[in-house]
Amino acid sequence: MSSDKEPVKTICPYCGVGCGIQVQPGDEPGDVQFMPWGDAPVNEGRICIKGGAATEVVDHEDRLTDPLLRDDDGEFREATWDEAYEYIIDELERIRDEYGPDAMGFFASSKVMNEENYLLQKLARRYGTNNVDNCTRMCHASTVWALRTSLGAGAMTNSMRDLREECDLFWIQGANPGEQHPIANSQYFRQAVLDGATVIQVDPHANKTTRSFQIDDTERHQHLQLNPGTDIPLLNIVLKTILEHHEENPEDGWVDEEFIAERTEGFDHLKETLADFDKEAAAEECGLPLEEIELAAEKYATADNAAIFTGMGMSQHACGVDNVQNEINLALITGNLGRAGTGVNPLRGQNNVQGTCDVGAMPNVLPGYQLVDDDEARESVEDVWGFSVPDEPGLTNVEISYEAGDSVKGLYVMGENPVMSEPDANSVADRLADLEFMVVQDIFMTETAEFADVILPATTWAERGGTVTNTDRRVQRMRGVGNVHENTKHDLEIVSEVGKRLFEEKVFDFDDPEVVFEELRQVCPSYHGMTYDLLGEEGLHWPCYELGDEGDPFLYEEEFDTESGLGHIEGVEHTPPAETPDDEYPLILTTARLEEHYNTGTMSTRSPTLNRQTPENFVDVHPEDAERYGIEDGEYVRLKSRRGEITLEAHVTDDTKEGVVWTTPHFAAASANRLTNHVLDERAKIPEYKAAAAEIDVDIEPADRAAGDD
Ligand SMILES: Nc1nc2c(c(=O)[nH]1)N[C@H]1C(S)=C(S)[C@@H](COP(=O)(O)OP(=O)(O)OC[C@H]3O[C@@H](n4cnc5c(=O)[nH]c(N)nc54)[C@H](O)[C@@H]3O)O[C@H]1N2
Ligand SMILES: Nc1nc2c(c(=O)[nH]1)N[C@H]1C(S)=C(S)[C@@H](COP(=O)(O)OP(=O)(O)OC[C@H]3O[C@@H](n4cnc5c(=O)[nH]c(N)nc54)[C@H](O)[C@@H]3O)O[C@H]1N2
Ligand code: SF4
Ligand SMILES: [Mo]
């Protein structure tokens, strides 16, 4: 492709690492090619397989190109934008008149820009409801809850750069950065490990993170392959081991007494919780030798700077908040917070999940995490917006889906695919079918859009500009090369047009993301010191309260951002997963991701490069289990839970643990969420994707093998 057009500098649309890439436009609108961006701030030109393949789906033949309306006979037909908008406005008005504003739900998208999500949550609130949420609910909602409550901010405490430079021990629990955050892993963490840092990985499944750290000095690498859902007993063993050692050898300094005294509260509660805790019994529950866990505890406690990395294996449990609280406990009692190279670090998932939360697309908070039920905070936002906001938190996205057809009558989905991504997906599909009205705004026809009344074709990431916020709170600008398809529109334009037609013109009169960002700055304190000019090519880390603030690479140097300024320690007790194995369903099913695929697969399964290696779903089965069931490697089996069944290929491998089967959520034809359990963490409302009881059928009809789902 030769072109005299200039490439644009933008950000990779896949994961939250926030790598800079360039898009080279060609002579025709769909001609877009990836180019490295040599001095991009996060990745300095390096890229993983997804970043390099990102442009492959921009001009894919499956792109939605025109608005679609469902006809009386149930079929979709092409419509004009005007028709589509009028239909949406009529339905939004009807639903509000008939049932009140809380009968609508709004799903924002961690795949779109801050400005667009800001406008969508503003639209929901102007409509009169706080029923607005995004995929963080299924992702790090529990992490954010625990971090916010106990430390102050729902984000990584440290940044990739200070971790790379100062961290001596990487404690990676329920996260697989080798595949899900490849550039963070290869360019930052692995470099530190090559320089001598230790790695402890806590995960029931071996993966590329495990393999990427198979360094010469194996003493430095430990993989604790625990049973899914036993992270609390495991961390309680770690905590008790550290406390016991300190009691006898205070001079070793395993516990940081000064830090506990000056900067924390709740230490006694932790000690009480652990007083009668039986380490032997707990190790058995974890399925690990006690000494292995004790050795890991020693390594953590004796490292100069130890950092915890926490992912979906911790957050996606009914005890997700408690899981993360126990990691916070470990960091606080050892003084591993408020310094470079330490902390509790959730690697955020989607390219803009951090930003989508920052701009207030959640049912309980406004921009900048200001609580909707905090009168002063809410009023400060209302002053800028010029309308009032309901003062009660709304429903989460998983709750909205479960209320669909009951209290929720209508749904506006911008860039989410709940029929694939939410737990117990068969029921989700049934419920969405009961809605009176649903609009889906996406780049492809999704499993969710199949249930819509109106489908709006959005442009992709490569076609437009705006800002996104990466996992270490760096706000960066994206830049687009213009529309590939004439009749598609940017999410920003669509949402502001709906707002303008529904309400007062001026409240939604935006045609430029920078103007939206200027308003966002007024209501989001941690973004107040940022402008498009100041973001430049490097971006800025939040918090950035005033113009000229450089942002903080790590948080809480002096004090925590809690009301008392102290870090909150709180002992937690084990809650087993809601479903544990029994005679009927004797296996534990857990689900997680692959490097080359992405979430519900709408983009990655359409990308030739990404789809090449693994074009369909599979389930990892341990050799002992395979022998018991008589399963050959490569054979198709039926995987079942109390909620559904899928047919897929069995991989016999000791990557997984005996009794544990492991599969992925990426493929529609054998969708793991037909099996997962709709049970939520009480506080954060995150589903338990990481543990359900399951069974395998081996004798299946050959015809079922290709069919996938039942
Ligand atoms: N390639 C790729 N990258 C992605 C994504 C993708 O789909 N593909 N998605 C993005 C998104 S949205 C997110 S949120 C992040 C997620 O990134 P991660 O947090 O790494 O997510 P997962 O791979 O779902 O789960 C992490 C690990 O948890 C383990 N696990 C399962 N059950 C348990 C348990 O009970 N305890 C413990 N300790 N571990 C357990 C799994 O085996 C897995 O290795 O990745 C982002 N990056
Ligand atoms: N079993 C199981 N289920 C899981 C998980 C798990 O570990 N196990 N993980 C959970 C997690 S962490 C997450 S984050 C969720 C993800 O759940 P979802 O957010 O529902 O899944 P995605 O596939 O990321 O959906 C993003 C949608 O946005 C669309 N899109 C992309 N770009 C644009 C754009 O520019 N504009 C618009 N309007 N649309 C766009 C895509 O085509 C896609 O349909 O899944 C959850 N589900
Ligand atoms: S690490 Fe994440 S942001 Fe970087 S290139 Fe890969 S998918 Fe994109
Ligand atoms: Mo996620």
Side-chain angles (χ1 to χ4, degrees):
M1 183 176 68
S2 71
S3 165
D4 47 14
K5 293 188 183 145
E6 285 292 311
V8 299
K9 294 190 164 81
T10 191
I11 305 299
C12 169
Y14 283 108
C15 89
V17 174
C19 297
I21 60 176
Q22 296 196 80
V23 175
Q24 171 69 59
D27 295 327
E28 298 299 317
D31 257 353
V32 285
Q33 278 201 357
F34 163 81
M35 263 181 52
W37 171 5
D39 49 3
V42 173
N43 54 315
E44 292 162 358
R46 295 176 191 83
I47 210 77
C48 81
I49 188 169
K50 289 184 299 304
T55 49
E56 286 181 7
V57 292
V58 171
D59 190 22
H60 194 281
E61 59 182 6
D62 293 349
R63 279 284 303 279
L64 292 168
T65 53
D66 297 281
L68 300 173
L69 273 183
R70 192 184 291 282
D71 250 343
D72 293 341
D73 60 5
E75 299 296 315
F76 286 113
R77 64 167 174 89
E78 277 183 22
T80 63
W81 277 96
D82 211 39
E83 260 182 296
Y85 283 135
E86 285 311 307
Y87 184 83
I88 294 169
I89 302 310
D90 285 349
E91 283 297 288
L92 285 172
E93 284 177 342
R94 180 185 66 78
I95 287 175
R96 194 179 43 189
D97 291 346
E98 279 183 34
Y99 309 103
D102 287 334
M104 270 303 296
F106 293 80
F107 288 1
S109 175
S110 302
K111 292 241 81 65
V112 318
M113 321 278 167
N114 287 325
E115 295 76 2
E116 296 163 338
N117 283 307
Y118 171 76
L119 281 190
L120 190 82
Q121 62 81 37
K122 187 177 172 188
L123 181 76
R125 271 127 187 180
R126 177 65 189 84
Y127 186 75
T129 183
N130 282 320
N131 291 348
V132 57
D133 205 2
N134 75 90
C135 73
T136 192
R137 187 67 44 203
M138 307 178 252
C139 183
H140 267 303
S142 42
T143 320
V144 167
W145 181 287
L147 288 172
R148 259 176 58 77
T149 313
S150 296
L151 302 179
M156 272 174 75
T157 58
N158 287 61
S159 57
M160 290 180 267
R161 189 150 289 150
D162 76 74
L163 290 160
R164 186 257 172 277
E165 283 161 12
E166 302 293 338
C167 179
D168 304 301
L169 180 132
F170 290 77
W171 183 284
I172 303 175
Q173 189 152 2
N176 177 12
E179 302 190 58
Q180 313 322 336
H181 300 91
I183 296 299
N185 198 60
S186 61
Q187 188 170 330
Y188 292 88
F189 312 152
R190 193 160 183 277
Q191 295 309 313
V193 173
L194 292 173
D195 288 348
T198 298
V199 185
I200 314 280
Q201 184 191 15
V202 187
D203 198 305
H205 191 251
N207 48 39
K208 289 183 189 164
T209 300
T210 330
R211 294 186 250 284
S212 75
F213 293 124
Q214 295 290 358
I215 45 182
D216 294 337
D217 178 4
T218 48
E219 284 275 289
R220 286 199 280 127
H221 179 245
Q222 234 186 311
H223 180 195
L224 301 176
Q225 211 166 351
L226 82 177
N227 286 324
T230 61
D231 295 272
I232 293 176
L234 186 134
L235 281 173
N236 278 345
I237 294 173
V238 171
L239 288 161
K240 187 153 181 166
T241 303
I242 292 174
L243 293 177
E244 283 174 346
H245 180 93
H246 185 71
E247 202 130 286
E248 281 166 28
N249 313 278
E251 68 286 357
D252 289 351
W254 284 23
V255 170
D256 190 336
E257 285 185 10
E258 198 181 311
F259 191 89
I260 292 174
E262 285 172 13
R263 300 208 44 193
T264 73
E265 60 192 10
F267 184 47
D268 287 342
H269 184 266
L270 176 69
K271 285 196 289 194
E272 279 158 32
T273 309
L274 295 175
D276 297 326
F277 176 74
D278 180 346
K279 292 206 297 183
E280 291 283 352
E284 207 159 297
E285 194 142 22
C286 299
L288 286 166
L290 177 58
E291 312 76 65
E292 268 192 42
I293 307 174
E294 288 175 331
L295 180 64
E298 174 180 348
K299 288 178 184 166
Y300 180 91
T302 53
D304 288 338
N305 292 321
I308 295 170
F309 295 81
T310 187
M312 299 300 101
M314 295 297 275
S315 63
Q316 292 174 336
H317 283 284
C319 59
V321 172
D322 283 348
N323 274 343
V324 179
Q325 178 60 45
N326 231 13
E327 299 182 302
I328 294 171
N329 292 339
L330 177 59
L332 284 173
I333 69 161
T334 54
N336 275 304
L337 270 161
R339 278 202 322 279
T342 66
V344 179
N345 297 290
L347 291 161
R348 299 307 303 263
Q350 302 245 37
N351 58 328
N352 196 31
V353 63
Q354 182 68 58
T356 306
C357 299
D358 296 346
V359 304
M362 292 201 287
N364 60 333
V365 294
L366 294 164
Y369 303 96
Q370 305 182 82
L371 296 168
V372 293
D373 47 10
D374 173 338
D375 292 344
E376 200 182 322
R378 193 186 59 257
E379 282 159 19
S380 74
V381 177
E382 289 171 342
D383 284 347
V384 177
W385 285 352
F387 59 83
S388 60
V389 174
D391 59 3
E392 294 274 325
L395 298 175
T396 68
N397 52 5
V398 182
E399 288 175 326
I400 289 169
S401 300
Y402 268 70
E403 279 295 316
D406 292 331
S407 72
V408 173
K409 308 293 184 190
L411 185 56
Y412 192 122
V413 181
M414 171 173 77
E416 266 196 21
N417 191 9
V419 168
M420 279 279 293
S421 59
E422 291 192 6
D424 190 6
N426 290 333
S427 308
V428 175
D430 290 346
R431 293 201 171 86
L432 295 191
D434 284 345
L435 285 169
E436 292 180 12
F437 164 68
M438 176 158 76
V439 48
V440 170
Q441 182 172 317
D442 206 295
I443 57 175
F444 292 118
M445 184 71 202
T446 62
E447 291 69 26
T448 304
E450 298 284 353
F451 293 89
D453 301 292
V454 193
I455 301 176
L456 302 177
T459 52
T460 64
W461 61 278
E463 298 164 73
R464 62 192 203 270
T467 61
V468 288
T469 309
N470 84 341
T471 188
D472 52 18
R473 295 170 279 103
R474 189 193 289 263
V475 182
Q476 303 189 92
R477 286 183 63 183
M478 290 186 74
R479 298 169 184 84
V481 296
N483 290 23
V484 170
H485 297 287
E486 233 174 278
N487 206 25
T488 55
K489 291 188 192 295
H490 302 339
D491 291 296
L492 185 115
E493 184 183 340
I494 303 172
V495 178
S496 49
E497 186 62 29
V498 172
K500 276 193 286 194
R501 289 184 185 224
L502 200 53
F503 310 114
E504 311 81 3
E505 282 264 317
K506 66 176 175 20
V507 179
F508 289 94
D509 189 14
F510 299 99
D511 55 6
D512 179 353
E514 186 171 2
V515 181
V516 182
F517 193 83
E518 282 300 311
E519 184 180 296
L520 168 65
R521 291 180 52 214
Q522 305 308 315
V523 288
C524 181
S526 53
Y527 282 52
H528 187 67
M530 300 177 190
T531 63
Y532 268 33
D533 274 352
L534 289 170
L535 291 176
E537 289 192 355
E538 288 290 307
L540 282 167
H541 291 279
W542 65 256
C544 197
Y545 297 113
E546 298 301 332
L547 291 175
D549 277 3
E550 289 292 315
D552 294 338
F554 63 90
L555 304 175
Y556 319 128
E557 188 165 10
E558 305 290 334
E559 59 172 10
F560 292 99
D561 217 352
T562 52
E563 228 157 78
S564 60
L566 300 173
H568 181 67
I569 299 173
E570 189 174 329
V572 296
E573 291 187 51
H574 183 37
T575 334
E579 260 187 5
T580 48
D582 55 22
D583 288 347
E584 212 183 335
Y585 293 95
L587 299 165
I588 310 175
L589 166 70
T590 191
T591 60
R593 298 166 155 72
L594 297 176
E595 179 171 17
E596 339 69 82
H597 277 288
Y598 198 83
N599 286 5
T600 70
T602 64
M603 292 160 76
S604 62
T605 60
R606 288 187 169 90
S607 162
T609 305
L610 300 182
N611 205 40
R612 187 170 300 136
Q613 200 179 341
T614 316
E616 58 178 270
N617 207 0
F618 62 90
V619 55
D620 278 354
V621 181
H622 189 270
E624 295 286 335
D625 293 322
E627 200 180 314
R628 243 197 354 267
Y629 283 95
I631 299 170
E632 300 284 330
D633 186 39
E635 187 180 342
Y636 279 75
V637 297
R638 184 171 291 144
L639 184 59
K640 308 191 298 189
S641 80
R642 289 192 170 81
R643 291 152 296 278
E645 44 191 65
I646 56 177
T647 303
L648 70 184
E649 195 177 319
H651 290 181
V652 177
T653 167
D654 56 13
D655 278 355
T656 192
K657 202 174 162 66
E658 192 179 345
V660 178
V661 284
W662 186 101
T663 189
T664 86
H666 303 304
F667 302 92
S671 172
N673 280 324
R674 291 175 182 260
L675 313 182
T676 48
N677 197 2
H678 175 81
V679 54
L680 308 180
D681 179 290
E682 221 174 71
R683 288 165 285 180
K685 311 282 173 71
I686 192 169
E688 189 151 72
Y689 293 115
K690 292 290 194 258
E695 172 61 318
I696 290 179
D697 270 352
V698 181
D699 298 321
I700 55 169
E701 297 295 318
D704 285 349
R705 297 180 179 195
D709 288 340
D710 287 297

